[in-house]
């Protein structure tokens, strides 16, 4: 086809994004600068909690206790260390009382109590050398953090005969938030230069390598501005910033890699820049759009959960995916229009070799690219049953440790061992009787006689798993009991006790809160909403992949293989982070369980990224199958064209996730390293071995769809190809027609 005729095929979208490329890039620069301003300080407005279900019984009970009995819910603990003398020493006691009175006078502080006031054994260490001053900082997470920043410097350190350390839930959350911000900055400083080096190795051209980074930076800065706006209306977790950076760089690089690679292929084939952009947007551009939709849907599924920790990742994920796709489909074509053939400039690979093997060929010459992947595809399909069985069995075996998963709650052990708030909590956990803060609170609503209160206390004490019951502490229409469970504060025995307490008949309305109760309610909320989340992901994924391929079986295959690609991640999470293997090398403390929301988050993110690579591969296979009607050739062609690209994108995304995984906070480390493993397994095992093996075993039936659905796809479906699949499809539906004959039929169409 002549260049004039090919130019006529340039669509309206291509004309739109290439008509004023300089103006488009200038507008993008201005908008990005505004996003920097709008998104500044977003981390300071984020929270570090969000694991509890807001409509749960434990959440409501905690709010009532905070209002009616502030001393029952201390979130600030001062650990008073008296050194070599007992805490009952007169000089120590005098100083501790002075600090307690001073703390009581601080604005925003309520419910102050100490060992020296109550003489409670639970507030003094077993060796008598440490004791606790407990208080409650009022207000939301942000306000509590500001109060802590104000008062902590005045209390930390040496005061006469004692040394004070600051701990408690507020201090743990505040220190976690600060560490995450520091670690995120370090991760960006690690990921950006390494990513640039890898992009140069992939493209050769330094100019081409800078384009994906530019798309990623626009997506990240834009998402920070979006999150800043969302914090005006609802809570957002600070952990979501890690996903913003990871997906902003990872997906932007994926999309830009795919578009720039296709653009360079078209240039190598002799197309002019505008025509090359038109072809790229009709093919790779559609793939990017489909990929962005599938990833966004996977992340949007987290909106069904009530915990704002999970919902925050949906906010961040949807924003960054859509912004990355928009930048790749609008700004990148404008930049390519300006660059044209100069996109291949500054080939740094020439410094590493004396001469080019084929001087006349472009850097992405189609006839020379992907030969190794083509040979691998042929080998896999020749031994398809072996590769399918061995790969599937291997992935299942890697996932077996997840059968022993135990769910828990995040605590101070998420922090590095040197964090002050963690040190305080460890001293309390290991050195104080009854582990203050690890008990259960039973709230009694409604006035009752002392006899009824005493009778109910006896019934609580008779329940299995109860170590001690304190109270009741009575108030205006309310009372509460402090129940210390036997064993671990959030162990299975404590969780069973929560259910026993809730089921115990009482002469008044009762409700239960505490760490174990929050865990029980969180698990119940996730179990209740999980089928909906999985259903949304599966149904929308099936629909989108059908619209892309026109096949009924390929969407089912994509969902099953994507889920299978996640087994190694889930198995590794349990083996490493729950069981503690490699804890020394990775510098974290195993708590013997996994935070309840983390597997849900990792599933949604990793599934979406797997679909991202799946769409890249399937779209190229579909394009070639529409052109030739030869099933096996299309699989080989698709892997040849995208195998190296998908692997490079996976490696780059894994680098970003590993950089996130260097965080000193365990949950962030788990998220980064787990998803990095999932991405690599998907690209290097599932896409390279399992997909071609399964497609070979399924044969031509892979593309089957009933007649009504074929008609639906012809009308509404989108595919990565120059035209609708007419001749190729007709040829493949004729029994006995060979691939070569189908090529001739298609060529004459």
């Amino acid at each position: 086809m002549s260049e004039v005729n090919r130019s006529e095929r340039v669509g309206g979208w291509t004309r739109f994004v290439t008509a004023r490329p300089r103006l488009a890039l200038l507008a993008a620069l201005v908008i990005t600068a505004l996003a920097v301003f709008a998104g500044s300080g977003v981390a300071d407005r984020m929270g570090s909690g969000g694991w509890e279900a807001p409509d749960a019984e434990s959440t409501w009970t905690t709010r009532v206790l905070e209002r009616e009995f502030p001393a029952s819910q201390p979130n600030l603990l001062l650990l008073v260390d008296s050194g070599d003398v007992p805490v009952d020493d007169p000089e120590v006691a005098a100083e501790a009382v002075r600090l307690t009175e001073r703390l009581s006078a601080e604005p925003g502080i309520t419910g102050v109590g100490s060992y020296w006031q109550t003489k409670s054994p639970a507030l003094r260490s077993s060796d008598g050398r440490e004791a606790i001053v407990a208080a409650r900082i009022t207000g939301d997470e942000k306000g509590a953090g500001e109060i802590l920043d104000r008062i902590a410097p005045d209390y930390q350190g040496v005061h006469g005969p004692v040394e004070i350390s600051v701990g408690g839930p507020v201090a743990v959350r505040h220190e976690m938030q600060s560490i995450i911000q520091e670690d995120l900055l370090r991760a960006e400083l690690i990921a950006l230069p390494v990513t640039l080096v890898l992009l140069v190795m992939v493209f050769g051209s330094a100019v081409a390598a800078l384009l994906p980074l530019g798309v990623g930076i626009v997506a990240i800065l834009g998402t920070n501005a979006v999150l800043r706006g969302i914090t005006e209306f609802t809570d957002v977790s600070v952990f979501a910033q890690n996903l913003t950076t990871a997906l902003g760089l990872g997906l932007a690089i994926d999309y830009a890699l795919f578009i720039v690679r296709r653009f360079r292929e078209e240039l190598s084939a002799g197309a002019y820049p505008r025509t090359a952009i038109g072809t790229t947007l009709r093919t790779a551009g559609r793939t990017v759009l489909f990929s962005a939709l599938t990833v966004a849907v996977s992340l949007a599924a987290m909106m069904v959960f009530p915990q704002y920790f999970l919902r925050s990742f949906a906010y961040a994920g949807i924003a960054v995916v859509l912004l990355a796709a928009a930048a790749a489909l609008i700004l990148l074509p404008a930049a390519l229009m300006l660059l044209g053939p100069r996109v291949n400039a500054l080939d740094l690979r020439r410094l590493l070799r004396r001469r080019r093997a084929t001087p006349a060929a472009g850097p992405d010459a189609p006839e020379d690219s992907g030969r190794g992947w083509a040979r691998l595809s042929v080998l896999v399909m020749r031994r398809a049953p072996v590769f399918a069985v061995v790969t599937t069995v291997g992935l299942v075996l890697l996932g077996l440790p997840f059968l022993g998963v135990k769910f828990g709650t995040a605590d101070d052990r998420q922090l590095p061992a040197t964090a002050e708030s963690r040190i305080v909590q460890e001293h309390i956990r290991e050195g104080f009787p009854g582990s203050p803060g690890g008990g259960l609170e039973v709230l009694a609503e409604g006035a009752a006689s002392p006899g009824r209160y005493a009778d109910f206390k006896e019934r609580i004490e008779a329940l299995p798993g109860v170590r001690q019951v304190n109270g009741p502490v009575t108030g205006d229409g309310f009372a509460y009991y402090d129940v210390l469970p036997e064993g671990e504060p959030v162990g299975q025995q404590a969780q069973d006790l929560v259910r026993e307490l809730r089921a115990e008949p009482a002469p008044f309305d009762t409700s239960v809160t505490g760490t174990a109760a929050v865990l029980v309610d969180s698990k119940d909320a996730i179990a209740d909403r999980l089928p909906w989340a999985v259903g949304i992901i599966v149904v929308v994924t099936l629909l989108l992949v059908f619209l892309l391929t026109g096949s009924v079986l390929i969407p089912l295959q994509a969902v099953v293989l994507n889920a299978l690609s996640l087994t190694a991640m889930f198995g590794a999470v349990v083996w490493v982070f729950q069981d503690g293997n490699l804890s020394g090398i990775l510098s974290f403390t195993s708590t013997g369980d996994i935070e309840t929301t983390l597997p849900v988050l990792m599933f949604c993110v990793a599934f979406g990224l797997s679909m991202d690579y799946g769409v890249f591969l399937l779209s190229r296979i579909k394009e070639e199958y529409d052109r030739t009607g030869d099933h096996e050739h299309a699989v080989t062609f698709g892997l040849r064209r995208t195998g190296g690209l998908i692997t490079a994108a996976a490696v780059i995304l894994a680098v970003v996730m590993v950089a996130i995984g260097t965080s000193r906070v365990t949950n962030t480390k788990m998220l980064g390293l787990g998803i990095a493993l999932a991405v690599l397994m998907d690209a290097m095992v599932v896409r390279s071995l399992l997909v071609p093996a399964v497609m070979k075993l399924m044969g031509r039936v892979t593309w089957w769809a009933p007649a009504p659905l074929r008609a639906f796809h012809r009308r509404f479906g989108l595919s990565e190809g120059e035209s609708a699949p007419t001749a190729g499809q007709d040829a493949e539906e004729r029994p006995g027609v060979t691939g070569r004959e189908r090529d001739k039929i298609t060529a004459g169409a």
Side-chain angles (χ1 to χ4, degrees), residues 426-732:
E426 286 183 340
H427 277 248
I428 294 172
R429 184 166 46 244
E430 297 171 3
F432 284 70
S435 295
L440 300 171
E441 289 82 36
V442 180
L443 176 69
E445 184 178 0
S449 65
R452 287 192 170 188
Y453 282 137
D455 178 65
F456 187 62
K457 178 178 181 179
E458 291 177 0
R459 292 164 66 178
I460 294 176
E461 291 173 331
L463 293 175
V466 174
R467 175 192 298 173
Q468 181 181 339
V469 181
N470 298 316
V473 178
T474 59
D476 186 12
F478 294 94
Y480 80 92
Y481 302 83
D482 187 24
V483 182
L484 297 180
E486 295 179 350
E488 291 291 326
V490 293
Q492 189 58 51
Q493 192 172 13
Q495 295 177 51
D496 293 339
L497 179 58
V498 170
R499 296 183 175 92
E500 292 284 346
L501 288 169
R502 288 174 173 173
E504 186 66 24
F508 30 68
D509 293 332
T510 62
S511 55
V512 182
T513 189
T515 307
V518 171
L519 174 58
V520 168
D521 290 340
S522 180
K523 289 167 64 174
D524 290 345
I526 288 176
D528 181 58
R529 306 292 180 89
L530 187 60
W532 287 98
V534 173
I536 291 171
I537 292 174
V538 170
V539 170
V540 178
T541 298
L542 291 175
L543 176 61
L544 290 174
V545 178
F546 169 75
L547 290 175
L548 179 67
T549 64
S551 164
V552 170
L553 298 180
I554 287 180
L556 295 173
Q557 169 194 306
V559 169
V560 173
L561 296 188
N562 277 12
L564 193 60
S565 71
L566 307 184
T567 54
M569 175 185 71
F570 285 125
V573 161
V574 171
W575 189 78
V576 175
F577 291 95
Q578 176 180 297
D579 299 342
N581 297 292
L582 306 181
S583 59
I585 297 175
L586 297 178
S587 300
F588 70 92
T589 300
S590 172
T591 59
D593 52 43
I594 302 296
E595 204 284 318
T596 314
T597 58
L598 257 294
V600 176
L601 169 62
M602 297 175 75
F603 170 80
C604 293
V605 174
F607 189 92
L609 293 174
S610 296
M611 280 306 305
D612 183 43
Y613 299 136
V615 167
F616 286 173
L617 177 58
L618 290 174
S619 63
R620 209 63 194 266
I621 293 175
K622 171 65 174 172
E623 177 187 1
E624 188 65 10
Y625 181 72
D626 287 347
R627 191 180 68 84
T628 66
D630 189 329
H631 175 67
E632 292 186 24
H633 165 72
V635 174
T636 299
F637 180 88
L639 192 60
R640 177 177 180 175
R641 281 287 187 267
T642 64
L645 189 66
I646 290 174
T647 302
V651 169
I652 292 172
L653 180 56
V655 166
V656 177
M657 295 308 304
V658 168
I660 298 293
T662 61
S663 173
R664 293 166 289 170
V665 176
T666 304
N667 273 356
T668 306
K669 189 188 299 288
M670 186 190 311
L671 177 67
L673 298 182
I675 293 179
L677 176 61
V679 164
L680 293 176
M681 292 296 293
D682 182 76
M684 297 183 177
V685 177
V686 174
R687 303 298 153 202
S688 302
L689 303 178
L690 196 53
V691 168
V694 171
M695 294 192 79
K696 166 64 177 179
L697 292 175
M698 293 176 65
R700 283 168 39 191
V701 75
T702 298
W703 305 99
W704 176 84
L709 290 180
R710 287 202 303 271
F712 179 86
H713 181 263
R714 281 194 294 269
R715 183 172 182 181
F716 299 105
L718 294 174
S719 60
E720 183 179 305
E722 294 289 336
S723 59
T726 54
Q729 280 190 346
D730 292 340
E732 77 84 23

Side-chain angles (χ1 to χ4, degrees), residues 13 18 31 37 134 207 219 254 298 457 472 493 518 561 599 604 736 746:
W13 183 252
T18 60
I31 293 173
F37 174 77
V207 173
D254 286 357
S298 294
K457 178 178 181 179
Q493 192 172 13
V518 171
L561 296 188
C604 293
T746 306

Side-chain angles (χ1 to χ4, degrees), residues 156-212:
Q156 291 167 321
V158 177
H159 295 263
V162 300
E163 183 175 1
I164 307 296
S165 300
V166 178
V170 165
V172 170
R173 289 197 299 265
H174 195 60
E175 195 160 9
M176 186 179 298
Q177 188 170 4
S178 299
I179 291 175
I180 287 174
Q181 293 181 41
E182 295 171 3
D183 291 348
L184 183 60
L185 177 59
R186 187 182 70 250
E188 292 171 344
L189 294 176
I190 294 172
L192 285 173
V194 175
T195 297
L196 181 58
V197 171
L198 291 175
L199 286 171
V200 170
M201 294 174 62
V202 172
F203 282 126
S205 162
V207 173
L210 287 172
L211 295 176

Side-chain angles (χ1 to χ4, degrees), residues 173-526:
R173 289 197 299 265
H174 195 60
E175 195 160 9
M176 186 179 298
Q177 188 170 4
S178 299
I179 291 175
I180 287 174
Q181 293 181 41
E182 295 171 3
D183 291 348
L184 183 60
L185 177 59
R186 187 182 70 250
E188 292 171 344
L189 294 176
I190 294 172
L192 285 173
V194 175
T195 297
L196 181 58
V197 171
L198 291 175
L199 286 171
V200 170
M201 294 174 62
V202 172
F203 282 126
S205 162
V207 173
L210 287 172
L211 295 176
L213 277 185
V215 173
I217 291 172
V218 169
I220 292 171
L221 296 176
T223 302
N224 284 338
V226 171
L227 292 178
R228 175 63 177 79
I230 293 175
T231 59
E232 295 290 338
F233 306 99
T234 188
D235 294 319
V236 180
S237 172
V238 70
F239 286 91
Q241 277 203 302
N242 294 292
L243 187 68
T244 298
T245 297
L247 290 187
L249 282 176
L251 289 179
I253 287 170
D254 286 357
Y255 299 157
L257 273 173
F258 208 61
I259 288 176
V260 173
R261 177 66 176 268
R262 188 59 184 258
F263 175 74
R264 296 173 84 190
E265 284 185 14
E266 295 299 320
L267 288 183
S268 298
Y272 291 151
R274 187 183 297 273
T275 304
I277 291 173
T279 303
T280 298
L281 291 178
R282 278 196 312 275
T283 55
R286 289 176 178 174
T287 301
V288 166
L289 180 61
F290 265 87
S291 172
L293 290 175
T294 54
V295 177
V297 166
S298 294
L299 297 171
M302 286 185 284
M303 291 288 290
V304 306
F305 296 100
Q307 294 93 334
Y308 86 73
F309 174 79
L310 288 174
R311 298 171 71 90
S312 299
F313 285 92
Y315 305 146
I318 293 171
V320 76
V321 168
L322 296 182
L323 286 172
L329 296 176
I330 299 174
L331 303 182
L332 191 55
L336 293 175
M337 184 65 191
L338 291 176
L339 289 171
R342 292 190 298 275
V343 72
N344 298 320
L346 299 180
D347 186 354
L348 302 182
R349 290 181 299 189
R350 291 181 179 180
L351 301 176
L352 304 178
R353 58 196 181 202
R354 294 183 178 179
R355 61 186 181 87
R356 300 176 65 89
T358 54
D364 288 293
E367 65 271 15
D368 291 325
S369 62
R371 288 181 176 176
W373 291 102
R375 287 194 293 268
L376 175 62
S377 176
V378 171
L379 173 64
V380 169
M381 288 193 288
R382 187 180 300 143
R383 299 287 187 269
V386 175
F387 278 97
V389 171
V390 171
T391 304
T392 301
V393 171
L395 291 173
V396 170
L397 290 176
L398 289 174
L400 287 180
F402 192 71
L403 297 177
V405 65
K406 298 176 183 177
F407 295 109
T409 57
D411 60 21
D412 57 278
R413 288 170 289 184
Q414 293 282 314
L415 296 171
T418 56
E420 180 179 349
S421 58
R422 173 176 171 174
I423 293 173
V424 171
Q425 297 302 121
E426 286 183 340
H427 277 248
I428 294 172
R429 184 166 46 244
E430 297 171 3
F432 284 70
S435 295
L440 300 171
E441 289 82 36
V442 180
L443 176 69
E445 184 178 0
S449 65
R452 287 192 170 188
Y453 282 137
D455 178 65
F456 187 62
K457 178 178 181 179
E458 291 177 0
R459 292 164 66 178
I460 294 176
E461 291 173 331
L463 293 175
V466 174
R467 175 192 298 173
Q468 181 181 339
V469 181
N470 298 316
V473 178
T474 59
D476 186 12
F478 294 94
Y480 80 92
Y481 302 83
D482 187 24
V483 182
L484 297 180
E486 295 179 350
E488 291 291 326
V490 293
Q492 189 58 51
Q493 192 172 13
Q495 295 177 51
D496 293 339
L497 179 58
V498 170
R499 296 183 175 92
E500 292 284 346
L501 288 169
R502 288 174 173 173
E504 186 66 24
F508 30 68
D509 293 332
T510 62
S511 55
V512 182
T513 189
T515 307
V518 171
L519 174 58
V520 168
D521 290 340
S522 180
K523 289 167 64 174
D524 290 345
I526 288 176

